[in-house]
Amino acid sequence: MSDPIEVLLQFAFLGVLYLFLLWVARSALRDLGRPATEPAGYLDEELDGHARPYSGRLVVQRGAGLSSGQEFGIGPGLVIGRALACEITIEDSYASGRHARLYDRDGQVYIEDLNSTNGTYVNGARVSAQQLLRPGDTVRIGDTELRFDNG
């Protein structure tokens, strides 16, 4: 016959194990199940009807699956992450499926974290809201580093 405390501890262990599994499943579903959204501030044309040039590009400093020196034009906006649907797909285990997005607003480029697990960093500081990028800023997602340059 089992000791009642031993049985209670076994049930407590199972409960904690199930809570952990639920937390992992919720995190994975939240990370992979986000719908694609249009970048805030996205404008195809100025008020006078003329197309507006977009400024900015990202240059790879280091990162798995990317070549050092590889460049990506930001255009009206792009998403960085592990998902194949992202404009910049990185092979980084610390990156989320849709990790961060960059977008052009009034000729300036902004970055924002898409509620990623491990965060997005600009010049070593964690991005908590949309943040203006300046030429020479370093964007870090996991072990991947990208430098922002103007057009």
Side-chain angles (χ1 to χ4, degrees), residues 113-137:
D113 186 79
L114 296 175
N115 298 319
S116 64
T117 304
N118 294 313
T120 302
Y121 295 83
V122 174
N123 298 327
R126 189 171 185 147
V127 174
S128 58
Q130 67 180 2
Q131 181 174 331
L132 176 65
L133 287 179
R134 300 188 191 292
D137 281 352

Side-chain angles (χ1 to χ4, degrees), residues 75-115:
L78 59 80
V79 176
I80 305 171
R82 281 194 336 252
L84 295 177
C86 293
E87 286 79 7
I88 301 179
T89 302
I90 56 177
E91 297 172 11
D92 193 319
S93 59
Y94 295 106
S96 298
R98 289 177 38 89
H99 196 98
R101 74 176 173 141
L102 287 86
Y103 56 92
D104 182 289
R105 185 174 64 201
D106 299 326
Q108 295 187 317
V109 177
Y110 291 83
I111 186 170
E112 70 179 348
D113 186 79
L114 296 175
N115 298 319

Side-chain angles (χ1 to χ4, degrees), residues 16-44:
V16 170
L17 181 64
Y18 281 119
L19 286 174
F20 174 74
L21 292 175
L22 285 173
W23 177 76
V24 169
R26 183 182 141 265
S27 179
L29 288 173
R30 183 185 63 189
D31 198 30
L32 297 174
R34 289 194 187 109
T37 59
E38 199 67 43
Y42 171 66
L43 296 173
D44 272 337

Side-chain angles (χ1 to χ4, degrees), residues 47-62:
L47 295 175
D48 62 2
H50 292 89
R52 168 171 63 83
Y54 295 106
S55 60
R57 64 188 169 144
L58 289 175
V59 181
V60 177
Q61 301 300 300
R62 65 184 170 102

